[in-house]
């Protein structure tokens, strides 16, 4: 299934990870995005994509022959159960635990889990707690 939709007004338009083992990465990302209820966008011999995340081999035209370094990517979950499912699915698909599901001190209601993907990236799923449904977004201020 190919899904393409243009989203204007986002801070990040898209991200690319260039990975050493595309099959291992595909298994991992298919599993975590299924748990987060995000469909795969499409794939080819040297790449796949999900929403605005593009994952490719170093052989893909866009990669210019180089792997990307370590990154931290955080994906939003609808609730704590979805964070738990992300963690379980990621472990079963080759991820390594980097922080079991639970509350974090970043702000009240921050519930997250962390996994290391097959290429060493720190991948997080986060639920920010129940939101005030009268607002479209929550503003969090970080000090330090």
């Amino acid at each position: 299934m190919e899904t393409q939709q243009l989203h204007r007004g986002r801070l990040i338009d898209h991200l690319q990870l260039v990975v050493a083992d595309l099959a291992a990465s595909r298994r991992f990302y298919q599993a975590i995005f299924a748990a987060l209820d995000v469909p795969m966008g499409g794939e080819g011999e040297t790449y796949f994509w999900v929403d605005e995340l593009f994952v490719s081999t170093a052989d893909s035209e866009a990669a210019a022959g180089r792997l990307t370094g370590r990154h931290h990517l955080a994906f939003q979950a609808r609730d704590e159960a979805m964070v738990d499912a992300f963690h379980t699915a990621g472990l079963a698909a080759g991820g390594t635990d980097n922080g079991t599901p639970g509350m974090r001190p970043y702000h009240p209601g921050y519930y997250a889990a962390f996994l290391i993907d097959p290429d060493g990236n720190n991948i997080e799923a986060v639920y920010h707690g129940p939101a005030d449904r009268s607002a479209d977004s929550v503003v969090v201020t970080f000090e330090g």
Side-chain angles (χ1 to χ4, degrees):
M1 173 171 96
E2 303 279 323
T3 59
Q4 294 185 9
Q5 184 176 4
L6 179 62
H7 300 281
R8 297 191 188 278
R10 290 181 170 178
L11 174 64
I12 304 294
D13 186 76
H14 64 278
L15 299 168
Q16 180 179 5
L17 295 177
V18 182
V19 300
D21 185 340
L22 188 67
S25 290
R26 183 179 287 124
R27 278 190 303 278
F28 176 80
Y29 284 100
Q30 283 178 329
I32 67 166
F33 285 123
L36 294 172
D37 197 25
V38 178
M40 296 298 287
E43 61 185 350
E45 187 176 318
T46 61
Y47 64 88
F48 65 90
W49 79 88
V50 181
D51 192 52
E52 304 307 330
L53 176 63
F54 185 80
V55 180
S56 72
T57 66
D59 296 333
S60 72
E61 185 177 337
R66 300 196 58 171
L67 299 177
T68 50
R70 282 192 59 148
H71 296 286
H72 174 125
L73 303 177
F75 303 112
Q76 290 188 20
R78 285 191 304 265
D79 53 31
E80 291 179 6
M82 190 173 267
V83 171
D84 296 346
F86 153 90
H87 192 259
T88 300
L91 288 174
T96 303
D97 177 49
N98 198 35
T100 58
M103 297 302 289
R104 300 297 192 271
Y106 309 133
H107 68 72
Y110 196 109
Y111 186 89
F114 300 83
L115 294 165
I116 301 298
D117 79 359
D119 280 88
N121 296 296
N122 184 21
I123 308 301
E124 174 184 0
V126 57
Y127 171 59
H128 290 284
D132 175 359
R133 298 297 176 208
S134 64
D136 290 327
S137 63
V138 175
V139 176
V140 178
T141 304
F142 293 95
E143 295 180 15

